[in-house]
Amino acid sequence: MRPDDANVAGNVHGGTILKMIEEAGAIISTRHCNSQNGERCVAALARVERTDFLSPMCIGEVAHVSAEITYTSKHSVEVQVHVMSENILTGTKKLTNKATLWYVPLSLKNVDKVLEVPPIVYSRQELEEEGRKRYEAQKLQRMETTWRNGDMVQPVANPEPNTVSYSQSSLIHLVGPSDCTLHGFVHGGVTMKLMDEVAGIVAARHCKTNIVTASVDAINFHDKIRKGCVVTISGRMTFTSNKSMEIEVLVDADPVVDNSQKRYRAASAFFTYVSLNQEGKPLPVPQLVPETEDEKKRFEDGKGRYVQMKAKRQGHTEPQP
């Protein structure tokens, strides 16, 4: 990890780690989907499940990223990725991330054609049953996110501190060849890195301290982003607890060279950040002041997600970050 991978405090950006995770997932799923004779394809990222940042990674450490295919349906692949950091001076290694990603194989000849996935062999029957349950659950959750697809982040003149409008931020990016796959569509990891950058700006504007990514709720990729599109990544604060901030990030794509297609929602997710002092200890977060009815509703929804996740952690269903 180099200085350009990290923030001013030396902590590696969450977006940098997410990009590495997606690259590992894309490699193993594309390799698997082309393991049998037939039409060639590239695996495209469809969804990333909730990812906790269990331990910070710093400049000078080496990242070890390993990926394993854990379930296949007819048209999708589940990949689980582990990230370890290594201090090469002391030899100390620690787990920093565990993530689950879902990919679909797209034909190289026709990008709109989803191919069938070669099945994997499970060592135990219950592993296939557990994978099928995860597959059905993520399908349902993806459908539940469609209601937000028309939502937009609008600028407000002269906002007050600690309000949603005060910290909301947007980034505009022109998609170039280096951002894209063989199909000419943006890598999922590139999109996630941009989303994390915007979420980090929102968190820093709200706290005015050093901030780090604590977790990412499920990232849903609603549609592909083609080379030459202009993407707008918008972020806004939705909820604050005593020591964490939830930020909603929306990605919209505008195919400026194609008049036949209108601007569309390409991806959405919730990021959670924490504020740290110079010693890396958590700081209290200034409380968000929702003003409009929509902001109050988003705050209550965010509070519900926070309470639910806190209950899961106390029940030891997920490791503590």
Side-chain angles (χ1 to χ4, degrees):
M1 294 292 101
R2 300 174 180 176
D4 56 353
D5 296 318
N7 62 18
V8 292
N11 301 120
V12 175
H13 291 296
T16 300
I17 297 172
L18 289 171
K19 189 170 184 288
M20 290 190 297
I21 288 172
E22 196 279 328
E23 287 173 351
I27 290 170
I28 193 172
S29 53
T30 297
R31 181 183 291 152
H32 175 76
C33 292
N34 288 283
S35 61
Q36 297 182 359
N37 292 331
E39 195 170 344
R40 295 305 170 191
C41 64
V42 171
L45 183 63
R47 176 180 167 88
V48 182
E49 302 291 357
R50 179 183 172 88
T51 303
D52 284 312
F53 288 72
L54 307 174
S55 181
M57 191 181 298
C58 301
I59 294 172
E61 293 184 330
V62 174
H64 298 258
V65 186
S66 58
E68 178 187 11
I69 293 175
T70 49
Y71 179 74
T72 56
S73 68
K74 185 177 180 180
H75 295 295
S76 64
V77 182
E78 180 192 55
V79 180
Q80 293 190 6
V81 181
H82 289 193
V83 183
M84 304 283 294
S85 66
E86 178 191 2
N87 184 321
I88 56 175
L89 301 180
T90 65
T92 303
K93 292 183 180 180
K94 56 187 177 182
L95 179 66
T96 62
N97 295 83
K98 294 168 66 177
T100 301
L101 304 90
W102 292 90
Y103 289 84
V104 293
L106 303 180
S107 167
L108 284 176
K109 297 179 180 179
N110 179 3
V111 73
D112 295 319
K113 181 181 179 181
V114 179
L115 302 181
E116 291 191 11
V117 176
I120 63 172
V121 178
Y122 301 92
S123 58
R124 301 192 312 275
Q125 183 63 34
E126 55 266 30
L127 293 178
E128 183 175 8
E129 293 300 322
E130 291 168 2
R132 184 177 293 109
K133 290 178 182 178
R134 294 192 300 270
Y135 170 73
E136 295 297 335
Q138 65 88 23
K139 275 182 66 177
L140 180 62
Q141 290 169 6
R142 279 178 59 81
M143 292 174 62
E144 291 174 349
T145 62
T146 56
W147 68 271
R148 292 202 310 270
N149 281 0
D151 203 5
M152 303 293 291
V153 177
Q154 300 293 344
V156 175
N158 303 317
E160 294 293 325
N162 298 335
T163 62
V164 175
S165 301
Y166 184 80
S167 59
Q168 70 181 28
S169 305
S170 295
L171 181 153
I172 298 175
H173 177 75
L174 176 63
V175 176
S178 62
D179 298 322
C180 297
T181 66
L182 297 173
H183 278 120
F185 292 96
V186 177
H187 285 286
V190 171
T191 304
M192 290 193 292
K193 190 172 188 295
L194 292 171
M195 294 171 80
D196 181 72
E197 287 180 11
V198 170
I201 293 171
V202 173
R205 278 181 167 172
H206 183 77
C207 289
K208 300 191 180 343
T209 61
N210 177 36
I211 48 87
V212 294
T213 313
S215 65
V216 183
D217 207 347
I219 302 177
N220 289 292
F221 292 83
H222 308 295
D223 207 341
K224 300 181 290 293
I225 304 174
R226 189 182 295 274
K227 180 174 64 179
C229 281
V230 172
V231 291
T232 302
I233 304 96
S234 304
R236 62 185 170 202
M237 192 83 62
T238 50
F239 172 74
T240 53
S241 66
N242 290 332
K243 293 185 178 179
S244 67
M245 302 159 277
E246 181 190 72
I247 296 138
E248 182 180 29
V249 181
L250 307 172
V251 180
D252 296 304
D254 187 2
V256 291
V257 295
D258 184 1
N259 293 329
S260 64
Q261 190 174 9
K262 296 181 180 179
R263 180 183 173 121
Y264 60 92
R265 177 64 39 82
S268 59
F270 290 97
F271 287 70
T272 299
Y273 276 76
V274 293
S275 174
L276 303 178
N277 62 18
Q278 292 182 345
E279 288 73 41
K281 302 297 183 182
L283 289 172
V285 171
Q287 291 305 289
L288 183 66
V289 181
E291 297 176 297
T292 68
E293 290 303 315
D294 284 343
E295 290 173 358
K296 292 176 182 177
K297 183 181 184 305
R298 284 194 292 268
F299 187 91
E300 289 302 316
D301 291 343
K303 184 178 180 180
R305 286 186 291 271
Y306 171 77
V307 170
Q308 184 181 30
M309 188 50 57
K310 191 174 181 181
K312 285 184 178 180
R313 286 174 175 166
Q314 289 175 344
H316 301 289
T317 56
E318 286 195 11
Q320 284 277 5

